[in-house]
Amino acid sequence: MGAPGPGSPSPQEPAPPPPKRSSSAKGVPPATDLVLGATAGCLACFLTNPLEVVKTRLQLQGELQAPGTYPRPYRGVLRAVGAVCRADGLGGLQKGLAAGLLYQALMNGIRFYCYSHAEDAGWTRYPGGTVAAGAVAGAVGAFVGSPAYLVKTHLQAQTVAAMAVGYQHHHENIATAFRSIYRQHGVVGLWRGVTGAIPRVTVGSAVQLATFASAKDWVCERQWFRKGSWSAVLAGGMVSSVAVAVAMTPFDTISTRLYNQPVDADGTGKLYRGFLDCILQISHKEGLLGLYKGIGAVYFRLGPHTVLSLFFWDKLRDLVRH
């Protein structure tokens, strides 16, 4: 997910709608933002992918089982990192990296492209426009990138039998995963689980855009960091990520479960019939806290990933302008 840059106005501050501006007036056209957004997302993904692996394992652990009735090979973020390394080696922390990079390139590229168009059209200057534009752009990006996220989830869940959680798909790599899914279920199969992905990114983007600027200003008002500095952006991102993690983790857990579940010959899920059924089953069998599995990893990934994406995007934009 992304967020406004260091100098972006707070989305809560109403402003009169400006006349429509051309892309050239901003210096970076939307098509360029597509490439820059994709590149920034990939660079951030490379650094935060280990937490994505841990998050996926934690969310699949004890699937549809009552608390206390199943073994827990992964306990908390730090101990889960150690468990992954013991089971899969140090390289296990970068499982699914190729699929993750593809997802970030597609999702962030499309999202930044759509958001840049919304900025040029002046929509983000309306009250609530920033949140709405971010949510819609995020939803479009999530749909386009869904096949890559599906494969990423499969690959990150795979491990040795003694440490396995969730269904194991046994793909050799990203290429064989795409081929296997396509051969068995066609193009539609590649978008299996997208009903969980769109709400996940939409809610996450909306909450992040609604809280990021306010959190950053709050940090600066206390004079912890200089206004406009990247340390202030990082601190604001970490504060904002509390709200985002609380709002988004249930959707994230549902998305992981829908993507990873086994399916029958016609592509129908064997565990969940869809988004609402997944919510009901998790709540009934694992309790409401089952929806918040992996929240620690979600939080610790969100802040750095947000700020790294912004940082790389901003610096790349400066390079293009000059």
Side-chain angles (χ1 to χ4, degrees):
M1 294 184 306
S8 298
S10 169
Q12 285 76 28
E13 296 173 2
K20 183 174 180 178
R21 296 174 299 162
S22 67
S23 298
S24 58
K26 290 177 66 63
V28 179
T32 303
D33 260 336
L34 186 152
V35 177
L36 299 184
T39 304
C42 287
L43 290 170
C45 174
F46 181 79
L47 297 173
T48 60
N49 191 64
L51 286 170
E52 189 73 13
V53 174
V54 168
K55 181 212 73 174
T56 299
R57 302 278 178 92
L58 288 170
Q59 289 176 338
L60 292 173
Q61 185 169 249
E63 187 169 17
L64 299 183
Q65 298 179 64
T69 64
Y70 56 86
R72 294 176 59 198
Y74 308 99
R75 294 174 178 266
V77 177
L78 291 178
R79 292 171 70 180
V81 169
V84 171
C85 290
R86 287 192 298 274
D88 305 309
L90 195 60
L93 292 173
Q94 291 292 12
K95 278 201 168 187
L97 178 61
L101 292 173
L102 178 59
Y103 171 72
Q104 290 296 331
L106 292 170
M107 191 275 287
N108 264 316
I110 295 296
R111 190 163 56 92
F112 275 98
Y113 177 78
C114 293
Y115 191 80
S116 185
H117 265 302
E119 279 191 318
D120 287 347
W123 299 339
T124 57
R125 295 292 299 277
Y126 287 94
T130 298
V131 176
V136 172
V140 175
F143 179 83
V144 174
S146 186
Y149 201 97
L150 169 70
V151 170
K152 179 192 74 68
T153 304
H154 289 186
L155 293 172
Q156 290 178 337
Q158 290 180 183
T159 185
V160 296
M163 301 291 286
V165 290
Y167 185 76
Q168 301 290 290
H169 291 271
H170 302 295
H171 302 306
E172 292 182 13
N173 52 51
I174 181 174
T176 58
F178 275 117
R179 281 199 299 267
S180 175
I181 296 169
Y182 177 74
R183 286 172 181 169
Q184 294 179 50
H185 307 293
V187 173
V188 174
L190 292 170
W191 267 268
R192 185 175 73 243
V194 71
T195 54
I198 291 177
R200 168 186 173 271
V201 177
T202 301
V203 169
S205 292
V207 174
Q208 189 177 65
L209 286 163
T211 60
F212 181 81
S214 296
K216 185 182 61 178
D217 292 342
W218 180 79
V219 168
C220 292
E221 285 169 5
R222 277 149 185 78
Q223 299 183 342
W224 294 343
F225 302 100
R226 180 174 56 82
K227 188 175 180 65
S229 68
W230 279 101
S231 55
V233 176
L234 175 59
M238 297 306 294
V239 173
S240 170
S241 293
V242 174
V244 180
V246 170
M248 195 182 80
T249 297
F251 296 96
D252 204 8
T253 301
I254 293 163
S255 181
T256 298
R257 298 288 183 87
L258 290 175
Y259 275 130
N260 196 66
Q261 71 170 328
V263 295
D264 57 25
D266 65 359
T268 303
K270 292 184 177 181
L271 299 179
Y272 313 103
R273 293 191 301 272
F275 182 79
L276 291 177
D277 183 57
C278 187
I279 296 176
L280 294 174
Q281 287 210 57
I282 293 175
S283 301
H284 176 68
K285 296 180 181 178
E286 303 175 48
L288 288 177
L289 289 180
L291 293 168
Y292 281 91
K293 285 183 175 179
I295 188 171
V298 170
Y299 171 74
F300 285 114
R301 175 190 171 277
L302 274 174
H305 185 88
T306 298
V307 176
L308 286 168
S309 295
L310 283 170
F311 178 79
F312 290 133
W313 181 57
D314 185 73
K315 294 304 178 186
L316 290 169
R317 272 187 146 209
D318 285 344
L319 288 174
V320 170
R321 288 193 186 103
H322 296 99

